[in-house]
């Protein structure tokens, strides 16, 4: 179930979206441990200043044993530009685990990466179909730009409307209010950005919302698709 949270007042109001849920699971459980590890990397691995650092793109070729074999990916989809990898199911062998076991470290697929092209397709629905139906899957992925911003509320609402899924692990910015703390502080937040941690803690979407609500100066870890 997909929800939105509008922080245009000093309270946070949830409203259920009318469209279907946007979290797509391909043979995966709701796992967030790898996303926590990625968001919690030391400063030399993840830049935490006000300027984002581009992680670039990688290519990968996943080979299923059969077209119906599960990939073992947990995917969050909230737009038509990219597919966000929220986690993996590593309890069984799959095309993703086989790739990661054989690939060099810098070419391994990680929780938090963005899928932007699948078998030459860039439209999200077409990418999903290719991943479901094809035995050989050629991927282009973008490493996320990860950086922190601190929102000094000073009595203002945060000024963000965010979309999330009940069991999701991120908050997607879908609106920025001109009168909110984000705009007032001139912070580097854009439409489509994902909040993946609050005050250094990666958690479920609803837990991060609560942390934002109760903090006077929430530190937001932003993930941005670089492509």
């Amino acid at each position: 179930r997909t929800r939105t949270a509008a922080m245009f007042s000093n309270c946070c109001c949830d409203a259920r979206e009318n469209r279907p849920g946007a979290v797509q699971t391909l043979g995966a459980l709701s796992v967030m441990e790898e996303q926590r590890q990625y968001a919690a990397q030391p400063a030399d691995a993840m830049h935490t200043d006000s300027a984002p650092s581009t992680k670039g793109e990688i290519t990968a070729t996943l080979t299923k044993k059969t077209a119906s074999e599960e990939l073992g990916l947990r995917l969050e989809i909230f737009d038509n530009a990219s597919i966000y990898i929220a986690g993996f199911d590593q309890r069984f062998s799959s095309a993703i685990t086989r790739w990661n076991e054989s690939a060099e470290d810098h070419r391994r697929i990680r929780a938090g990466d963005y899928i932007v092209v699948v078998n030459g397709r860039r439209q999200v629905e077409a990418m999903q179909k290719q991943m479901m139906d094809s035995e050989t899957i050629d991927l282009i992925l973008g490493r996320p730009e990860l950086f922190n911003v601190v929102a000094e509320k000073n009595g203002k609402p945060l000024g963000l409307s965010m979309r999330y899924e009940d069991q999701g692990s991120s908050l997607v910015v879908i609106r920025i209010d001109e009168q909110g703390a984000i705009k007032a502080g001139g912070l580097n937040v854009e439409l489509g950005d994902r909040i993946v941690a609050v005050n250094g803690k990666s958690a479920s979407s609803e837990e991060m919302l609560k942390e934002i609500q109760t903090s006077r100066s929430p530190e937001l870890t932003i993930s941005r698709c670089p492509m």
Side-chain angles (χ1 to χ4, degrees), residues 139-158:
L139 301 176
I140 298 177
L141 305 102
R143 295 288 196 220
E145 298 174 358
L146 289 169
F147 57 98
N148 288 0
V149 298
V150 177
E152 300 287 351
K153 291 181 180 177
N154 295 322
K156 293 178 178 289
L158 191 65

Side-chain angles (χ1 to χ4, degrees), residues 62-91:
L62 308 184
T63 304
K64 298 181 185 177
K65 293 180 178 178
T66 65
S68 61
E69 182 187 19
E70 295 178 338
L71 280 178
L73 288 173
R74 176 173 166 77
L75 307 174
E76 293 183 12
I77 305 168
F78 292 106
D79 57 40
N80 200 36
S82 64
I83 298 174
Y84 180 75
I85 299 177
F88 309 109
D89 188 344
Q90 297 179 326
R91 300 175 305 161

